[in-house]
Amino acid sequence: MALSVENLTVYYQTLRGDVHALEHATFQITDGEIMGLAGESGCGKTTLGHSLIVLFPPMKYVAGRVLLDGEELPIWDSEKMNTYRFRKVSLIPQYAMNAMNPIRKIGKMTQELLESRGVDYKEVIPELKRRLDLVALPHDVLNMYPIELSGGMKQRMVMVISSLLNPSLLIADEITSALDVATQKAVAEMLVEFRDRQFVNNLIVITHDISILYQIADTILIMYAGVLAEKAPTKSIIESPRHPYTRLLISSLPEVGVRYAEKRLQGIPGNPPLLLNPPSGCRFRDRCPLAYERCLEEPPFIEVEKNHFVACWKEFEPHA
Amino acid sequence: MRRYLTRKILIYTLTFFLAVTIDWLIPRFMPGDPIRNMLARVSVASNASAIQMMYDYYARLFGLDLPLWQQYLNFWKALFQGNLGISTYLFPTPVVDVLKRAVPYDVFLLVPSILLGWYAGNHFGAIAARAKRLDNFILPLSYILTATPYMWLGILLAWFFGIVLGWFPIAGAYSFSLRPTWSWAFLLDLLHHWFLPFASLFIIEFGGWAIGMRNMIIYELEAEYSRYLTALGAPKHLIRRYAFNNAILPQITGLALKLGVIVAGALVTEVVFSYPGIGYLLLAAIQNQDYFLIQGCFLFIILGVLIANFMIDIAYLVVDPRTRRGMVGESA
Amino acid sequence: MIKRSELLYFTLRNRKLVIGSGIILGFLLLALIGPTFAKYRPMDYASPLGAEPPSAKYWFGTTFFGQDVFSQFVHGLRATFIVGLLGGGLGTLMGMLIGFTAGYRGGVVDEILNAFTNIVLVIPTLAVLLIIAAYLQVRSLLMECLFIGLTAWPWAARAIRAQTFSLRSRDFVDLARLSGMTSLRIIRDEIAPNMMSYLVLVFILQFGGAILTAATLDFIGLGPTNTISLGLMMQYAVLWGALPLGMWWWFVPPGLAITAIVGALYSMNVGLDEIFNPKLREI
C-alpha cells in the first residue's frame, strides 16, 4: 500500500469545546491510484487532506497513524514533518489564486522556495520549463508577478510548483472550484498527466463536484459529517452505490441532456449534524430514509466487496 | 507608473494652490484696516516716517486699491520672486531670511527622528510580532507611547534628564556663550542641545510604527501565501522575510499620512525646548501677531510636507513592483 | 451579524475593552463631579505663597501664581471630554457623509470627493488651524471643536469609503436592489447596520485624535481664550518655569490624564475590533 491511514482523528479547538471534524478515518491507497475525496461542505474532507501534510491551529491531532510508502509520517510533530513536506507529501491548496507572494516575481519566489529546501535551482530549471510546457504556460511566466496572471494560469502555476519535487503523495484541494467549466476539464486532465508521467505517485483529489471525479478518479471516498461513508472504484460509486447517502447524492445529480419537465430535482432534505457534540451512532441517521434501530450504534467501515468499503448496517446485516 | 505619478503631481499642485489661496485669503477676513492693525502692534520705534513708509509698502503689497483678482496675482508674483514680506516681529528682516535661518534646524531635527523612528520602529515591531514574551511587554508600552502627547514627553524628558539629572540642556540650539563655527566644541554643543528634542520625537514615532508593523506582520503571517509556504515546508525565516516585505508597503504610505501629525509634534517640541526651528518661530510670530511671518511659516510648512509626500511616493514606487507595472496596488 | 448574548459574552471577557472603558469612565466621573468637589475656582489665586507642592489642603499643589492645580485639572478634564465628543463627533460625521457618498455613488462623484479628500489630507492640519486661530481674537471651546472637526475628517472619510465599497458589492445589497428597494432604504436597512460597528471604531479614534489635537493647539496658546484646559496648563507650566523650579505637580497630571485617556481609547478600539471581528479573538 502506498498510503495507509489508520484511525486518523483530528479535532478543531474552539472556545466552546472541540469540534469533531474527523473521526477514526481508515483507508488505503495503492500505487498510482487517484482517489477522489467527496462530500458536502463541512464533512471533513479538507481536514483529512490537510492533516496529511500540515496541521494549522486550531486543528489538533488526536489519534491515528499515517504510513506513506511504508514510512510513518510524524503528523503530530510539525517540525519533524517538515522533512516530508514538499518532497514526499505536497499540497495544491484551495486558495491557489492567492498562494503566491504578490510582490515577488514567480520565478524568484520559486527559486527562493527551492533553495530554502536545499534544492539547487539551476538544476531544476530545465525540468521546471518542461512542466510549464505541459500545463501550457509560457516560460515568460517566471518573470511575471502573480497579479499579471489569470486565475486559471495561477492555478496551473501552483500545480507545477507543488509537484516539482515529484512527491509521493499530492493532495489537490478544491482546485477546480473557482474555475469555469472548460478550464476545469483542462486542469483535471493535467492532474492525470502528472500521475501518468509519474511526477506524482498518488493523488487525493478533494472536491464537492462528483462529476469531475467521474472523469479522472480511480476510486472515490465519500465522507459525511467527519466520518467515512463509502469508498469504492469510481464505476461502482456511480453505478452501484451502497451507502444511502451516496445513493441520494448520485441520484440528486442532474444528467446531461435530460430535461426534467414535471419532476423537481431531488435534494437530500435536512442538514448535516453539528460536530461540536456529534450524535451517537450513525451520523446520517436523521436524514436516512432507511434508518432503523441498529443505526443507534455507529457502523464500522467494512469491505463488503473487493475494494468496496461501506459504513452502513444495512449493507452487512442479513435482515433489512 | 506614469498614471500614478501624474495623479500625485496633480494633487500636490492643486494642494499648493489651495494652500496659497488660503494664505492669501485669511488676512482679508480680518475686520478693520489690516495694515493699521498690524502696524499698531509693531514692536519698533515709533518713528512716524518709518511707520508711514511701512504703511505705503504694505498698501502696495496688499494692493488694496486694486481689484481682487489682481491682488491675488500680485501675491503669486511676489511669491515667485521670493518675497514674503517683511517681518514685523524681527523688523526689518525679510520673512524669507528669517525662515531660511530656521529651516536647517528643522531638517536637523525632523529628518533623523522620522527616518530612524520609522526604521527602528518597523523592525522592532516585526520582531515583536514573532516573539511572544517580548510582544506581551512591548504591546501595552507602544500603545501608551502613541497615546502620549508630544509636548508632554518633551516636558518630561526635559525635566528628568535636563533638570533632575542635569545631563542635557533644555533650551536653545546651542549655548548662548558660543558662536556658530565649524569647530568640534560647537558641534558637540549642538548635538548636546539637539539630543532631547530629537529623543522626544523619536520615542513617540518608534512606538507608533512598532505597533503598526506588529499588527501588519501578524496579518501577513496569516495570509494565504504564508500558509502555502508553510505547507511546503519553507523555513520560518523565508516566510518572515516575505511577510516583512509585504507589511512594509502600507507603512510607507502610512508615513505620508502621518506627516501632518509629525510636523505638529515637532512644532510643540521646539516650543518646549526653545529650539529655533520653524515651529518655535511660528509661535513667536503668533504671540507677536506678525502676520507676514505667520503666513511665511505656513507656506514653508506646506511646501516641506508636499515635497516629503512626493519623495515618499517615489520610494513607494521603487519598493512595490506592482505600481511600477501599472497595476493598481495601493489607492492613491 | 452576531447574536446579542454572544456579543455580551465577548464584551465582558475582553480585557482590553473592560480596562479601557473603566479608565475612561473614571476620568469622565472625575470631570463631571470633580469641579463640585474643588474647593477653589481654577483661576483664583488661592495660595498667597505661590507654588506649593501637593498637600492635604491643595491635593495637586498650586501653580506659580498660587492657583489650585486640582481645580484646574478637573475643569480642564471637562474641556477635554467636550472637545473629544464634539470635535471627534463632527469629524466622524463629515467623514461619514463624504466617505459614504463617495463609496456608494462611485463614478465621477467618487473621483471628485476622493481628490478633495486627498488634498485636505496632505495639508498638515495644524498649519491650517494655526492660521485660522491666529486671526481670531476671541476663541471659544465650541469654535475649537468646530475647527478640529472640520480638519480631522479626511482619514475617516477614506476608511469609511473603503468599507462602503466592500459592502456595496456584497451579495445582500444586490439582492435588495433586485427586489426593488429604494436606495435610501438599502442604505438604512442593509448597509448601515453592518457599518455601525465600523463607525464606532472610527469615532473612538476620532475622539482620541481630537483630544490630542486640542492639547497641541492649547499648548501653543491657540486654544479657547475663556476656558482652562489641560494643554493650557502645560503651556503655563513651561512658560512660568515649572521645569527649572521643579514644580512637577503642575505639568505631570495634565499630560498623564491625556495619555491615560487616549491610551484607554486605543485599547477600547482594539478590544472592540476583536469583538466585531471573530477572527481576531484569542482562544
Side-chain angles (χ1 to χ4, degrees):
Chain A
M1 293 293 123
L3 176 72
S4 171
V5 175
E6 282 168 44
N7 199 34
L8 186 55
T9 310
V10 172
Y11 293 169
Y12 278 81
Q13 275 180 302
T14 69
L15 273 175
R16 291 190 245 186
D18 287 340
V19 174
H20 296 221
L22 182 66
E23 296 243 59
H24 34 261
T26 307
F27 63 93
Q28 280 110 29
I29 306 183
T30 46
D31 271 327
E33 180 180 325
I34 296 183
M35 183 185 91
L37 182 49
E40 297 177 53
S41 301
C43 70
K45 46 192 203 296
T46 301
T47 311
L48 176 53
H50 268 93
S51 59
L52 295 175
I53 183 166
V54 61
L55 282 171
F56 284 119
M59 283 202 274
K60 74 170 180 188
Y61 167 85
V62 177
R65 296 176 75 206
V66 176
L67 286 120
L68 182 62
D69 298 333
E71 224 184 318
E72 174 146 19
L73 292 181
I75 56 178
W76 52 85
D77 187 335
S78 192
E79 283 215 27
K80 290 214 192 92
M81 207 32 209
N82 229 27
T83 20
Y84 297 92
R85 291 185 184 128
F86 202 20
R87 294 170 175 280
K88 297 224 83 195
V89 194
S90 195
L91 172 74
I92 305 176
Q94 205 167 357
Y95 43 82
M97 311 278 181
N98 295 323
M100 296 184 279
N101 187 355
I103 59 171
R104 262 284 195 272
K105 284 194 190 160
I106 295 178
K108 195 82 172 58
M109 183 207 104
T110 314
Q111 179 182 0
E112 286 172 344
L113 173 61
L114 288 170
E115 280 169 3
S116 75
R117 305 260 28 223
V119 176
D120 189 352
Y121 183 61
K122 282 195 215 62
E123 287 187 11
V124 175
I125 291 184
E127 181 61 29
L128 177 59
K129 291 196 174 150
R130 276 196 289 268
R131 307 245 175 138
L132 287 178
D133 292 333
L134 192 64
V135 298
L137 279 174
H139 293 181
D140 268 347
V141 101
L142 293 175
N143 271 327
M144 295 196 227
Y145 291 94
I147 199 173
E148 297 176 76
L149 268 55
S150 74
M153 290 167 82
K154 280 190 273 193
Q155 187 84 55
R156 285 177 277 155
M157 189 66 226
V158 171
M159 277 172 68
V160 168
I161 295 177
S162 291
S163 59
L164 199 55
L165 296 185
N166 292 349
S168 185
L169 173 64
L170 180 62
I171 305 164
D173 192 356
E174 304 270 15
I175 63 175
T176 53
S177 309
L179 302 170
D180 63 277
V181 189
T183 324
Q184 279 184 2
K185 184 168 193 288
V187 165
E189 282 172 358
M190 281 172 204
L191 271 184
V192 180
E193 274 280 342
F194 278 15
R195 188 272 312 263
D196 291 341
R197 290 180 183 235
Q198 294 182 328
F199 295 160
V200 197
N201 204 4
N202 295 104
L203 264 170
I204 297 183
V205 182
I206 304 177
T207 178
H208 54 258
D209 184 357
I210 299 191
S211 44
I212 289 280
L213 296 180
Y214 183 58
Q215 306 279 336
I216 63 170
D218 299 320
T219 54
I220 297 183
L221 172 57
I222 304 276
M223 281 186 72
Y224 182 79
V227 293
L228 306 185
E230 185 166 3
K231 177 177 191 283
T234 311
K235 204 155 182 290
S236 311
I237 291 274
I238 302 292
E239 290 176 6
S240 46
R242 288 174 153 238
H243 195 282
Y245 176 62
T246 322
R247 287 211 202 119
L248 288 170
L249 211 60
I250 302 291
S251 67
S252 68
L253 286 175
E255 279 176 62
V256 176
V258 179
R259 290 183 62 193
Y260 288 90
E262 260 109 70
K263 256 178 26 174
R264 288 178 136 212
L265 275 180
Q266 293 262 342
I268 308 179
N271 285 313
L274 291 176
L275 295 178
L276 191 56
N277 272 317
S280 55
C282 175
R283 296 195 180 174
F284 191 55
R285 183 163 46 90
D286 291 330
R287 297 165 85 185
C288 184
L290 304 175
Y292 64 116
E293 330 81 61
R294 198 76 170 87
C295 302
L296 286 168
E297 189 188 326
E298 185 160 1
F301 195 59
I302 293 184
E303 189 166 10
V304 293
E305 261 178 38
K306 185 156 191 317
N307 277 333
H308 195 141
F309 297 77
V310 194
C312 179
W313 294 117
K314 277 271 152 69
E315 289 301 312
F316 35 80
E317 291 261 305
H319 74 272
Chain B
M1 170 160 96
R2 211 174 290 159
R3 250 196 84 207
Y4 174 77
L5 280 177
T6 39
R7 271 187 79 184
K8 292 282 175 181
I9 294 180
L10 198 69
I11 298 260
Y12 295 148
T13 320
L14 276 172
T15 311
F16 189 62
F17 259 90
L18 190 68
V20 170
T21 309
I22 292 178
D23 206 22
W24 171 81
L25 226 47
I26 299 289
R28 279 153 186 79
F29 280 136
M30 278 183 359
D33 184 346
I35 306 179
R36 285 256 174 250
N37 278 337
M38 253 200 309
L39 291 179
R41 294 174 197 110
V42 163
S43 54
V44 127
S46 49
N47 186 340
S49 58
I51 294 180
Q52 187 55 41
M53 216 168 64
M54 279 177 58
Y55 190 91
D56 289 338
Y57 174 77
Y58 286 141
R60 262 184 300 126
L61 202 64
F62 272 150
L64 290 175
D65 47 336
L66 296 169
L68 226 52
W69 62 268
Q70 210 163 9
Q71 291 183 35
Y72 186 53
L73 286 175
N74 285 341
F75 189 69
W76 274 102
K77 219 170 49 176
L79 196 68
F80 278 114
Q81 287 168 344
N83 179 5
L84 289 170
I86 300 210
S87 158
T88 52
Y89 163 54
L90 291 171
F91 188 83
T93 334
V95 167
V96 189
D97 292 336
V98 177
L99 290 173
K100 273 204 280 207
R101 266 188 261 156
V103 166
Y105 289 114
D106 269 302
V107 173
F108 189 36
L109 196 60
L110 278 172
V111 172
S113 67
I114 292 178
L115 290 180
L116 276 176
W118 188 83
Y119 185 81
N122 277 324
H123 279 272
F124 199 72
I127 297 176
R130 63 168 187 264
K132 237 329 168 129
R133 251 177 292 152
L134 187 69
D135 190 38
N136 286 332
F137 166 63
I138 289 298
L139 197 63
L141 185 67
S142 301
Y143 272 119
I144 293 175
L145 280 177
T146 19
T148 310
Y150 280 95
M151 93 255 347
W152 193 58
L153 187 64
I155 293 176
L156 286 181
L157 286 179
W159 175 57
F160 190 69
F161 288 102
I163 303 293
V164 172
L165 289 180
W167 289 354
F168 294 97
I170 63 165
Y174 50 87
S175 306
F176 297 122
S177 50
L178 291 179
R179 294 263 128 243
T181 46
W182 289 110
S183 69
W184 275 120
F186 180 71
L187 284 171
L188 275 172
D189 186 57
L190 203 65
L191 281 171
H192 203 213
H193 279 83
W194 166 86
F195 189 73
L196 282 184
F198 162 77
S200 122
L201 285 175
F202 173 80
I203 292 176
I204 297 188
E205 319 250 318
F206 181 84
W209 293 119
I211 279 271
M213 192 56 166
R214 171 210 177 259
N215 290 335
M216 281 314 301
I217 294 253
I218 290 184
Y219 177 76
E220 293 293 330
L221 283 176
E222 290 175 1
E224 278 147 355
Y225 66 85
S226 293
R227 290 183 168 244
Y228 181 52
L229 286 175
T230 314
L232 294 189
K236 284 217 178 80
H237 65 80
L238 183 68
I239 301 178
R240 270 190 226 134
R241 181 155 46 112
Y242 280 4
F244 187 86
N245 289 339
N246 276 289
I248 205 85
L249 295 178
Q251 298 290 81
I252 296 180
T253 42
L255 184 59
L257 291 173
K258 287 192 80 180
L259 275 176
V261 176
I262 297 176
V263 162
L267 219 139
V268 287
T269 308
E270 285 174 12
V271 170
V272 169
F273 289 98
S274 306
Y275 202 75
I278 293 197
Y280 184 61
L281 211 57
L282 192 48
L283 180 68
I286 289 171
Q287 284 173 339
N288 288 280
Q289 287 165 333
D290 181 352
Y291 294 114
F292 278 121
L293 190 54
I294 294 176
Q295 288 177 295
C297 289
F298 176 74
L299 281 177
F300 257 64
I301 293 177
I302 297 275
L303 208 62
V305 168
L306 285 178
I307 293 176
N309 259 292
F310 192 65
M311 295 202 308
I312 292 175
D313 289 334
I314 304 270
Y316 189 82
L317 205 62
V318 168
V319 173
D320 185 0
R322 296 173 290 182
T323 337
R324 259 181 280 144
R325 296 264 172 131
M327 312 289 161
V328 182
E330 276 280 314
S331 53
Chain C
M1 298 289 275
I2 27 185
K3 298 194 289 276
R4 283 284 163 82
S5 53
E6 196 180 306
L7 192 66
L8 204 63
Y9 170 75
F10 280 112
T11 310
L12 292 173
R13 260 195 95 215
N14 195 307
R15 260 211 337 224
K16 300 183 183 83
L17 185 61
V18 169
I19 295 182
S21 23
I23 294 179
I24 299 285
L25 283 174
F27 276 104
L28 187 60
L29 212 66
L30 199 57
L32 287 173
I33 63 175
T36 44
F37 273 104
K39 289 179 261 185
Y40 313 92
R41 291 227 298 265
M43 304 311 277
D44 281 353
Y45 299 111
S47 164
L49 301 166
E52 277 183 57
S55 59
K57 193 166 181 224
Y58 306 107
W59 295 339
F60 278 15
T62 56
T63 71
F64 185 78
F65 303 107
Q67 297 155 322
D68 181 21
V69 174
F70 178 75
S71 173
Q72 294 194 330
F73 180 70
V74 291
H75 280 91
L77 268 183
R78 271 199 185 173
T80 304
F81 274 101
I82 293 177
V83 170
L85 193 66
L86 294 180
L90 182 60
T92 313
L93 206 68
M94 284 196 65
M96 232 167 55
L97 271 165
I98 295 185
F100 196 73
T101 318
Y104 194 69
R105 286 242 170 265
V108 178
V109 175
D110 178 34
E111 288 284 337
I112 296 177
L113 286 177
N114 211 21
F116 180 51
T117 308
N118 280 329
I119 291 178
V120 181
L121 199 58
V122 172
I123 300 180
T125 328
L126 198 73
V128 181
L129 285 174
L130 285 173
I131 291 281
I132 297 177
Y135 282 106
L136 290 168
Q137 294 314 310
V138 179
R139 300 175 291 268
S140 69
L141 190 60
L142 278 169
M143 284 175 115
E144 190 181 48
C145 299
L146 188 70
F147 297 150
I148 292 180
L150 287 177
T151 45
W153 58 264
W155 80 257
R158 253 185 158 209
I160 294 178
R161 169 180 175 266
Q163 186 75 353
T164 311
F165 261 140
S166 83
L167 280 180
R168 181 173 74 134
S169 56
R170 294 260 185 92
D171 299 323
F172 59 87
V173 175
D174 288 335
L175 209 64
R177 243 189 243 131
L178 280 174
S179 69
M181 271 187 174
T182 61
S183 259
L184 208 61
R185 269 197 76 193
I186 296 181
I187 295 176
R188 199 192 62 192
D189 294 336
E190 306 281 339
I191 298 187
N194 277 290
M195 290 280 283
M196 262 310 137
S197 53
Y198 199 69
L199 286 175
V200 170
L201 294 175
V202 169
F203 176 64
I204 290 182
L205 289 177
Q206 287 278 353
F207 196 98
I211 292 180
L212 285 175
T213 311
T216 309
L217 271 180
D218 298 343
F219 182 73
I220 311 181
L222 289 177
T225 46
N226 54 1
T227 341
I228 186 77
S229 67
L230 298 180
L232 200 58
M233 283 175 73
M234 288 195 275
Q235 187 203 34
Y236 285 156
V238 172
L239 231 47
W240 294 101
L243 286 175
L245 294 175
M247 296 188 270
W248 56 269
W249 56 89
W250 197 1
F251 55 79
V252 169
L256 192 61
I258 295 180
T259 309
I261 293 176
V262 177
L265 285 171
Y266 287 164
S267 179
M268 280 173 70
N269 190 37
V270 176
L272 277 175
D273 204 14
E274 281 177 7
I275 292 178
F276 291 136
N277 187 354
K279 276 200 281 192
L280 293 172
R281 289 182 203 154
E282 295 160 345
I283 296 186

